[in-house]
Amino acid sequence: MSVVSVLNYKGGVGKTTLTANLGADLANRGQKVLLIDLDPQSSLTFTFYSADEWARDLAPSRTIRHWYDSFTWAYQMKELFPLVTTPPTINKLVQANGGRLDLIASDLALVDVELDLAAILGGNRHQVMHPDYVKLYRLLANALAADEFRQYDVILIDCPPNFNMVTRTAVVASDYLVVPAKPDYLSTLGIRYLRERLGKLTNEYNGVTGAEWINPVIVGVVFTMVQYAGADLLVKLRQYIAQLKEIEVPTFDAMLRESKAVFANSGDGGVPAALHSGLPANVAYDLYQLTSEFIAKTRI
Ligand SMILES: Nc1ncnc2c1ncn2[C@@H]1O[C@H](COP(=O)(O)OP(=O)(O)OP(=O)(O)O)[C@@H](O)[C@H]1O
Ligand SMILES: [Mg+2]
């Protein structure tokens, strides 16, 4: 079982779209996949559940917020596995191929969890000195070490667009990191910063006596919303790829082209675009290549 976080500081770069489609495609290829929505915006959750289903079945007690709260409020950790749900519509499709796609849902109140976790560490930026530092950063890693999670081939975590406490618990739990980015100059700058912060977190964490070592590997940057119109695209892409190489961040060969027609409502009906019938051939090709390269790079 591999744990993979999909993250980037920048908002709106396609993290959730990538998580949902990669997860769906892997499940459709027969894998057992668990998605974890760590973003209070809950877009991943609403890719698979309607607002009504969410309000009725998930919000009262089955979102990741309840689990973090059990730590911050009671210091009495709940089990994580009982929060796992199996969204019905997509699973009707993928089970024919022997796959499964499960989800741990999110909710807006996860915003407050950030504040609560930071408060436990005194709310300052030199948290590494705090006695609860490791305990808190390992919350998710420890929970995912439970036996029940071994049934999955891969766990994909959709992170919020920040590097706050909840995102860090995901990084510490991860074997691999995937970084979606738009092919533009600001995004490459953002990745440089992200690279530094990841390095700092890993070093600080591994420097704390008694902490189990972590080594989350950046599998690569996936360029998303790529517009193939315009002659200078390849020149620019080469520049960005070279800039990322300089800071030792690899890139995927596979890219996701921009297609508002496909992705704008891709969660409608509980099934991400990757499994829609009538998907345009070029988008289907992108998604197929992406999943194949992901499997090859992570060896899941
Ligand atoms: N390849 C694409 N072509 C066109 N639109 C896309 C593509 N990928 C994502 N989008 C759209 O762009 C918007 C942002 O995508 P998404 O929600 O996946 O980004 P995100 O990084 O998860 O955002 P956030 O940081 O807010 O969580 C969504 O409306 C989505 O439908
Ligand atoms: Mg998102």
Side-chain angles (χ1 to χ4, degrees), residues 114-169:
E114 284 293 356
L115 298 174
D116 294 338
L117 291 175
I120 289 172
L121 292 184
N124 68 54
R125 303 213 304 171
H126 304 287
Q127 297 159 336
V128 69
M129 303 307 291
H130 196 282
D132 280 345
Y133 176 85
V134 169
K135 189 169 162 193
L136 210 149
Y137 278 44
R138 277 203 71 80
L139 278 179
L140 194 55
N142 287 345
L144 293 177
D147 275 349
E148 294 103 319
F149 290 103
R150 289 209 204 143
Q151 64 185 286
Y152 296 106
D153 297 301
V154 61
I155 298 178
L156 294 176
I157 306 177
D158 184 25
C159 294
N162 62 49
F163 201 66
N164 297 345
M165 298 302 297
V166 169
T167 303
R168 292 181 209 194
T169 62

Side-chain angles (χ1 to χ4, degrees), residues 28-280:
N28 202 39
R29 293 187 191 200
Q31 302 224 6
K32 307 264 186 303
V33 180
L34 172 65
L35 305 181
I36 303 181
D37 188 352
L38 283 192
D39 190 345
Q41 298 177 99
S42 312
S43 319
L44 184 68
T45 300
F46 292 119
T47 305
F48 298 99
Y49 288 102
S50 70
D52 286 346
E53 288 169 326
W54 177 84
R56 187 187 62 221
D57 303 333
L58 305 175
S61 65
R62 270 185 118 179
T63 70
I64 189 89
R65 186 263 299 190
H66 295 280
W67 178 79
Y68 281 106
D69 271 351
S70 71
F71 177 79
T72 53
W73 285 79
Y75 243 55
Q76 181 86 49
M77 238 22 230
K78 280 188 184 155
E79 295 283 312
L80 182 60
F81 193 75
L83 296 185
V84 171
T85 64
T86 305
T89 315
I90 178 140
N91 278 285
K92 274 186 205 120
L93 290 178
V94 300
Q95 73 187 10
N97 299 332
R100 194 166 80 237
L101 185 132
D102 287 347
L103 172 78
I104 297 181
S106 188
D107 76 66
L108 203 55
L110 196 58
V111 170
D112 300 322
V113 170
E114 284 293 356
L115 298 174
D116 294 338
L117 291 175
I120 289 172
L121 292 184
N124 68 54
R125 303 213 304 171
H126 304 287
Q127 297 159 336
V128 69
M129 303 307 291
H130 196 282
D132 280 345
Y133 176 85
V134 169
K135 189 169 162 193
L136 210 149
Y137 278 44
R138 277 203 71 80
L139 278 179
L140 194 55
N142 287 345
L144 293 177
D147 275 349
E148 294 103 319
F149 290 103
R150 289 209 204 143
Q151 64 185 286
Y152 296 106
D153 297 301
V154 61
I155 298 178
L156 294 176
I157 306 177
D158 184 25
C159 294
N162 62 49
F163 201 66
N164 297 345
M165 298 302 297
V166 169
T167 303
R168 292 181 209 194
T169 62
V171 170
V172 168
S174 293
D175 305 295
Y176 298 109
L177 308 171
V178 172
V179 184
K182 287 188 195 176
D184 60 40
Y185 179 65
L186 275 181
S187 295
T188 26
L189 281 185
I191 292 166
R192 185 179 286 268
Y193 192 57
L194 179 68
R195 175 85 191 79
E196 284 167 16
R197 299 300 296 268
L198 284 168
K200 191 161 178 277
L201 173 65
T202 307
N203 286 339
E204 282 184 353
Y205 180 91
N206 287 341
V208 178
T209 332
E212 270 180 64
W213 277 49
I214 56 165
N215 181 28
V217 174
I218 301 180
V219 192
V221 168
V222 178
F223 288 114
T224 62
M225 303 183 212
V226 176
Q227 294 172 334
Y228 283 99
D232 61 355
L233 171 88
L234 285 178
V235 177
K236 284 221 177 95
L237 269 177
R238 276 212 194 101
Q239 275 173 8
Y240 299 139
I241 292 168
Q243 279 164 4
L244 293 172
K245 263 210 182 108
E246 261 173 45
I247 55 168
E248 293 175 13
V249 173
T251 48
F252 274 73
D253 294 331
M255 300 178 195
L256 286 183
R257 75 193 59 222
E258 172 158 86
S259 171
K260 294 213 170 81
V262 169
F263 291 105
N265 304 309
S266 80
D268 278 7
V271 178
L275 302 193
H276 285 189
S277 55
L279 191 63

